[in-house]
Amino acid sequence: MKAPDPVQVSVVGDCQVKVTWTDNTTNETHYDVQRSDPGSAFGLDVAILAANTTEYVDTVPGSGKYKYEVVARQMKAGKVADFVVSKQIGRASCRE
């Protein structure tokens, strides 16, 4: 499996961040989009998306710098057979 790369992050609205990537594989079963809030580690799944998806718009909880991971997953017999991670950093601004 190839990485969902390059991953791009852009602010598209108040508290909204658009994450896009290139679907470089043909055998993923789904994508996980993960976000780390300022000062925290990865692990928060903000979306589980269908195979062949190439974008997601996230509503962040407040202003700050967020990191995103896009994980391509392939399930076989109920087990995760492979995954590839790409990372990108984006800064979002929210009216508070």
Side-chain angles (χ1 to χ4, degrees), residues 1 5 25 28-29 36 48 50 52-53 64 70-71 81 85 87 93:
M1 234 167 55
D5 188 49
T25 189
E28 80 276 5
T29 54
S36 71
I48 299 172
N52 304 316
T53 303
V70 178
V71 182
V85 177
K87 300 178 183 179
S93 295

Side-chain angles (χ1 to χ4, degrees), residues 1-4 21 23 25-34 42-45 47-53 69-76 78-86:
M1 234 167 55
K2 295 181 181 179
W21 59 92
D23 179 10
T25 189
T26 59
N27 58 352
E28 80 276 5
T29 54
H30 66 280
Y31 283 103
D32 292 344
V33 178
Q34 299 177 345
F42 281 108
L44 175 65
D45 282 342
I48 299 172
L49 305 170
N52 304 316
T53 303
E69 290 185 343
V70 178
V71 182
R73 296 199 185 268
Q74 182 185 50
M75 301 294 287
K76 287 186 178 177
K79 297 180 183 178
V80 176
D82 197 6
F83 68 94
V84 180
V85 177
S86 295

